[in-house]
Amino acid sequence: QTYLEVGDFEALEVLAQHLDPAKTYVGSLRGWRHHGADIAFPDYRVTNRAKRWLQRAEELGFRVGVHFNTSCIASEFPALLDRFRPGFKVVDESAEGTKKYQSVNNGYLVRCSPAYKPWRDYLIKQMREVVDAGVDCIHLDEAMAPTGKYMVDGVNGLEGTRLLIQQVMNTYPG
């Protein structure tokens, strides 16, 4: 396994000269979408440069993987925050009824539970573009522990994570 910057075509070519691409996983890549790390989740649109780089990696025979955050929704997506609110864990509530949800970065990234099926379905659809661009592996970042509301519609966070993993494998086999 090795890590390269997405879009560094020179490094990709050099790597192919020194390692057997068929035996090399270029993994857990960031920098393939229009935003930096931990910004603007769940906007997983792939940059044109990344598409060209992923295509070249595939032509050389590398297997390539990218990160997908399993729980975060950024505050600049109010429609998504409203849509997936049933998967949020309330951590505080003011006397006026204003709720504070489990989040990171001072409330910037609100955590939605993988137990919430509409959220899992949404994430799966977001993966299509990067899979079509040539990615072989989806790294489910932050899947190691359930976040957001623990129980949603009779499903707990751990089971939701297992269901998400299974759904990725069923939707994008190989």
Side-chain angles (χ1 to χ4, degrees):
Q1 177 174 341
T2 188
Y3 299 94
L4 294 178
E5 182 178 333
V6 173
D8 188 342
F9 288 90
E10 181 181 1
L12 192 61
E13 298 293 335
V14 169
L15 187 64
Q17 294 170 8
H18 294 282
L19 297 174
D20 180 355
K23 297 179 180 177
T24 306
Y25 171 68
V26 181
S28 302
L29 298 173
R30 297 175 190 243
W32 55 272
R33 57 191 198 103
H34 290 272
H35 308 282
D38 298 333
I39 299 173
F41 292 134
D43 182 354
Y44 290 108
R45 292 173 297 130
V46 184
T47 67
N48 289 330
R49 183 172 177 83
K51 287 177 184 178
R52 291 190 309 274
W53 189 88
L54 290 166
Q55 180 180 2
R56 183 61 184 144
E58 184 177 39
E59 290 168 357
L60 291 168
F62 288 107
R63 293 191 45 87
V64 179
V66 296
H67 272 74
F68 265 79
N69 187 289
T70 59
S71 67
C72 290
I73 303 172
S75 59
E76 68 255 39
F77 301 112
L80 293 178
L81 292 170
D82 288 341
R83 180 176 171 187
F84 298 116
R85 195 169 314 278
F88 299 171
K89 177 181 180 179
V90 177
V91 294
D92 197 14
E93 188 170 350
S94 71
E96 297 80 30
T98 302
K99 294 178 181 172
K100 182 178 178 182
Y101 299 101
Q102 183 185 43
S103 64
V104 292
N105 298 343
N106 295 317
Y108 172 65
L109 296 171
V110 179
R111 295 193 182 273
C112 187
S113 175
Y116 189 47
K117 185 175 182 340
W119 173 243
R120 292 193 312 269
D121 293 345
Y122 182 84
L123 282 176
I124 292 295
K125 288 178 184 171
Q126 297 307 301
M127 295 172 189
R128 171 57 61 196
E129 184 180 5
V130 76
V131 169
D132 288 348
V135 164
D136 302 290
C137 177
I138 301 292
H139 173 82
L140 296 174
D141 195 25
E142 300 194 17
M144 72 287 186
T147 57
K149 190 174 182 181
Y150 189 71
M151 289 294 294
V152 183
D153 299 327
V155 177
N156 69 51
L158 291 173
E159 180 67 7
T161 300
R162 189 196 64 74
L163 291 168
L164 177 61
I165 292 166
Q166 189 63 53
Q167 198 169 351
V168 170
M169 294 184 333
N170 291 343
T171 306
Y172 306 111

